Amino acid sequence: MGDALRFAPFGSRESLSRHLPPTADNALASQLELAFEDNRLAAQLYGDFDQNLALIEQRLAVSATPRGNHVLLKGAASKVDQARRVLESLYANLEEGRSIDIADVDAVIRMIETEDSQLTLPTLERKGKVRMAQIATRKSTIVARTPAQDAYMRAMERSELVFGIGPAGTGKTYLAVAHAASLLERGDINRIILSRPAVEAGERLGFLPGDMKEKVDPYLRPLYDALYDMMKPENVERCITSGIIEVAPLAFMRGRTLSNAVVILDEAQNTTSMQMKMFLTRLGENSKMIVTGDPTQVDLPRGEKSGLVEAVNLLDGVEGVHVSRFGDKDVVRHALVGRIVRAYEQDAMRRLARKEGDTEGLARTLGALPRS
């Protein structure tokens, strides 16, 4: 980032940072003034009506006062340092030509808070700006907005089979399709195959009008959204027409070997054990599978065990398999959605605890219990 942010040596006459008396929480209070080279980028960094600075103040319990192309930070020393790193990271994005919004500010704050919470030993090193995982095509670039998304995006690059487990609104399906579109554009794969168990239609789609694509389209709409965001509409339509992007209900996977492809199974909590085993054993050469679902939202008949819950418990830790778990804190929609998700998850666990079933397996799938 060069000298975009200037820090004078601590203790020097020109120092922009000085320590104040200890606060009540026994952490040194400090203030730090940051200077930005580009006034135009500084204005974008602050946001409309300084909304980005306001969010930093609210989330990190610091004061962030803009003065032209300078920002004065005040607060506990550790929080001031976190605010500095947030601003560094966001300014770096602007220097690289990327725009930022309030969601990006929230994402960087989450990443830095998680990074610090995972440190077990104190360090005197100045922590650098956060570099979050990205998915890029010619049309669009997606940057991870939570630590769980960051780990998920990196896992999709490394592993042949990735499970994305968690509530709605965490981006697990959207990111899976975006990753597939990126690999297709790079020429790493030849096909994208999208599938979903049509539980609502009992896997009996024959009574619905139209061809197979038209029958299952309503169930796969969320997967299309990401395709159109990452690829030009005419390219998506051409790929679907030619079969490069294939849409198929889960029941039609039997007997196939899926090579040179990314195969995405969405709403996998509604697969049976037999269906999940059938699907996972379709994996062919130079292919990846991404399986997404929410184990608390199973629509299977009473007494039927979810294939997703079983597969995660059986395969977590197997070489080539990665399980990414999302929680209510990873919801990137309206903040209220996270609170709604949390309430429903707690209710689901209470109800399962009151009746017979694989309660322990579900809890372990969600990450509430350690693996034995």
Side-chain angles (χ1 to χ4, degrees), residues 159-300:
S159 303
E160 288 81 20
L161 172 59
V162 176
F163 290 92
I165 309 300
T170 52
K172 56 188 185 296
T173 301
Y174 185 92
L175 292 175
V177 178
H179 176 70
S182 175
L183 293 182
L184 181 64
E185 187 176 273
R186 279 156 39 185
D188 293 345
I189 58 167
N190 299 331
R191 290 185 297 165
I192 297 174
I193 301 172
L194 308 175
S195 187
R196 210 175 190 188
V199 169
E200 296 86 348
E203 290 284 9
R204 297 181 180 89
L205 301 171
F207 69 92
L208 294 174
D211 59 20
M212 182 54 62
K213 176 180 177 298
E214 292 170 330
K215 292 176 190 290
V216 299
D217 261 2
Y219 302 103
L220 297 170
R221 198 70 252 168
L223 283 72
Y224 285 130
D225 291 342
L227 282 175
Y228 283 104
D229 282 351
M230 299 302 290
M231 301 169 64
K232 293 180 179 179
E234 57 269 25
N235 291 346
V236 175
E237 296 299 333
R238 185 171 63 252
C239 287
I240 291 175
T241 302
S242 65
I244 293 174
I245 296 176
E246 180 183 347
V247 176
L250 181 60
F252 284 67
M253 293 289 181
R254 191 175 301 277
R256 303 179 62 184
T257 299
L258 307 173
S259 302
N260 300 303
V262 171
V263 190
I264 298 171
L265 176 61
D266 190 32
E267 296 290 339
Q269 74 274 6
N270 290 324
T271 60
T272 65
S273 296
M274 185 178 298
Q275 286 174 328
M276 179 61 75
K277 181 180 178 182
M278 178 273 293
F279 174 79
L280 295 177
T281 53
R282 301 306 98 196
L283 184 66
E285 290 295 323
N286 191 40
S287 287
K288 289 175 178 282
M289 281 186 167
I290 305 170
V291 180
T292 65
D294 180 358
T296 68
Q297 299 295 313
V298 177
D299 296 322
L300 293 170

